[in-house]
Amino acid sequence: MTASAEASAREGSSVRGRALADAARSGDRRALARLLTQIEDRTSAAEAALRILYPLAGKAHLVGVTGAPGAGKSTLVASLVGEARAGGRPVAVLAIDPSSPITGGAILGDRVRMQAYAGDRDVFIRSMASRGHVGGLATSTVAAAAVLDACGFPLIFIETVGTGQSEVAVAAIADTTLVVQAPEMGDEVQAIKAGLLEVADIVVVNKADRPGADRAASHLRAMLTVGAQHDRALGDRPRPKRPDVLLASGMAGTGVSEILAALDRREAKHGAGSREQADGTRLARAEAQLAGILAERLHQQLWDPERAAATEAVLRAVADHELDPYAAADQLLVSVAKGGRDGPTSAT
Ligand SMILES: Nc1nc2c(ncn2[C@@H]2O[C@H](COP(=O)(O)OP(=O)(O)OP(=O)(O)O)[C@@H](O)[C@H]2O)c(=O)[nH]1
Ligand SMILES: [Mg+2]
């Protein structure tokens, strides 16, 4: 493409992005869906749309829903959506889909569950796939949440699909993290091992219709109390979160309104305008998002056709142990900063 053809293509996609943003914001759900596809594909139209929408976002409560595979997250989210709708609130769900063939079935099952809301324009459900982008899933998920936020969804659930990749990571992009656990023996141990309890703001012992749920909840509470006593010994050092433990059954619908109430209390305390903890969360989210974008931009530059050969030569030097990877990274950074196209420089 010539430089002028490139410029006019850029201008075209920027116009398209702005039109999509305007339409989505005025309530056009198909435009919103198309815009989220652009976000997922990291197009320049998406960047143009975000330039408009990002300043309008920052009001919604982003709730991460995570937990081991099969804990009942999707069923619970479906019930939470029902509860929010019963209260007249618009609600959106982003399902993080690491695009593994194994979880295809789970997403399909979720679609069936969500059929109940098919005709309701105030429910918006979408799965986000990473499609192998360098920046990872955080970047497009945070951008998608900002778009939904700007389009008037005050409550957004970000649900992980249990594969272990995104379970803890979701906490970095959510305002509030719900960790869902089944009452089965050993589930707590798994959650501890996976570091899930450390990121939880609220732990839901789900499937409370099954035996053992009460015991599992008491056990968890006891464990967290011991943790709190241990924290006091930490003195002034930052202490881990002490989550509330709630019992629910996503399937039977019990305990669901209590979860929504707990979410609202947190939102009232930390959300919209109030500081400190919320600030920390927002900074962490901005950091996760920027890290993804920076990695992506750097990747683009390094593999730009004009630079690819030089990048390849540096890679080769590392592979052949002629250059250590840290020195290689520094060289590449310097070369990108200078706009140069240098091959590897030997350290000697
Ligand atoms: N008894 C009981 N079973 C439930 C409950 N909620 C979900 N289940 C069942 O547990 C299984 C998993 O439910 P999902 O909602 O798909 O769980 P998930 O955590 O989203 O699973 P992944 O997306 O695969 O990680 C299904 O067979 C559900 O029918 C509940 O409250 N009680
Ligand atoms: Mg699920």
Side-chain angles (χ1 to χ4, degrees):
M1 231 191 292
T2 64
S4 78
E6 232 174 75
S8 85
R10 240 194 336 268
E11 177 55 25
S13 64
S14 150
V15 169
R16 208 168 47 245
R18 286 198 299 268
L20 273 181
D22 289 341
R25 201 153 66 86
S26 70
D28 180 343
R29 298 293 187 244
R30 290 183 57 191
L32 174 57
R34 283 207 303 274
L35 177 51
L36 292 179
T37 304
Q38 300 282 325
I39 298 265
E40 210 170 29
D41 291 343
R42 315 279 222 271
T43 64
S44 38
E47 285 181 27
L50 270 177
R51 221 156 287 147
I52 296 176
L53 297 178
Y54 197 80
L56 304 171
K59 298 192 257 319
H61 188 186
L62 271 50
V63 180
V65 181
T66 184
K73 300 177 291 293
S74 301
T75 309
L76 186 66
V77 167
S79 291
L80 284 163
V81 166
E83 191 69 31
R85 291 304 296 135
R89 281 196 267 179
V91 55
V93 180
L94 286 173
I96 297 188
D97 172 10
S99 293
S100 109
I102 305 159
T103 57
I107 297 273
L108 202 67
D110 297 348
R111 292 230 175 91
V112 173
R113 260 190 295 269
M114 290 296 187
Q115 278 298 317
Y117 307 108
D120 184 346
R121 64 185 308 286
D122 284 330
V123 176
F124 194 93
I125 294 152
R126 169 77 187 217
S127 72
M128 298 291 293
S130 67
R131 299 194 186 162
H133 283 289
V134 190
L137 210 44
T139 310
S140 41
T141 307
V142 177
V147 166
L148 290 165
D149 182 346
C151 291
F153 289 93
L155 180 61
I156 302 170
F157 290 103
I158 304 174
E159 180 193 336
T160 65
V161 173
T163 52
Q165 300 177 31
S166 42
E167 285 170 13
V168 170
V170 75
I173 59 180
D175 297 309
T176 301
T177 303
L178 268 184
V179 171
V180 182
Q181 273 196 251
E184 277 73 33
M185 286 281 284
D187 225 49
E188 308 112 279
V189 180
Q190 285 310 317
I192 295 164
K193 278 195 192 156
L196 278 180
L197 288 187
E198 285 163 44
V199 299
D201 297 299
I202 298 171
V203 179
V204 176
V205 176
N206 194 31
K207 308 193 185 184
D209 53 294
R210 285 198 191 163
D214 284 314
R215 240 192 38 185
S218 319
H219 189 216
L220 258 175
R221 287 193 188 104
M223 218 164 58
L224 292 167
T225 311
V226 172
Q229 282 160 0
H230 173 258
D231 286 356
R232 276 195 276 283
L234 289 174
D236 291 334
R237 272 177 288 170
R239 43 200 74 196
K241 297 180 190 175
R242 289 298 150 212
D244 292 333
V245 178
L246 300 175
L247 270 166
S249 166
M251 199 149 77
T254 54
V256 177
S257 60
E258 285 80 359
I259 297 173
L260 204 58
L263 289 174
D264 289 342
R265 274 196 305 277
R266 266 190 61 86
E267 173 69 351
K269 204 160 133 202
H270 301 303
S274 82
R275 301 283 67 112
E276 231 172 291
Q277 179 165 359
D279 263 358
T281 308
R282 289 196 196 106
L283 281 175
R285 178 157 64 221
E287 189 181 351
Q289 191 174 21
L290 271 175
I293 295 169
L294 285 170
E296 201 171 286
R297 294 269 202 261
L298 191 59
H299 184 88
Q300 277 163 2
Q301 296 224 24
L302 289 174
W303 296 102
D304 173 282
E306 288 187 20
R307 195 194 298 273
T311 300
E312 176 104 37
V314 174
L315 271 189
R316 170 62 51 199
V318 174
D320 292 345
H321 292 258
E322 285 160 12
L323 187 64
D324 77 84
Y326 292 97
D330 287 341
Q331 278 188 24
L332 289 174
L333 280 174
V334 168
S335 145
V336 164
K338 284 201 301 216
R341 314 261 188 266
D342 304 336
T345 316
S346 150
T348 50

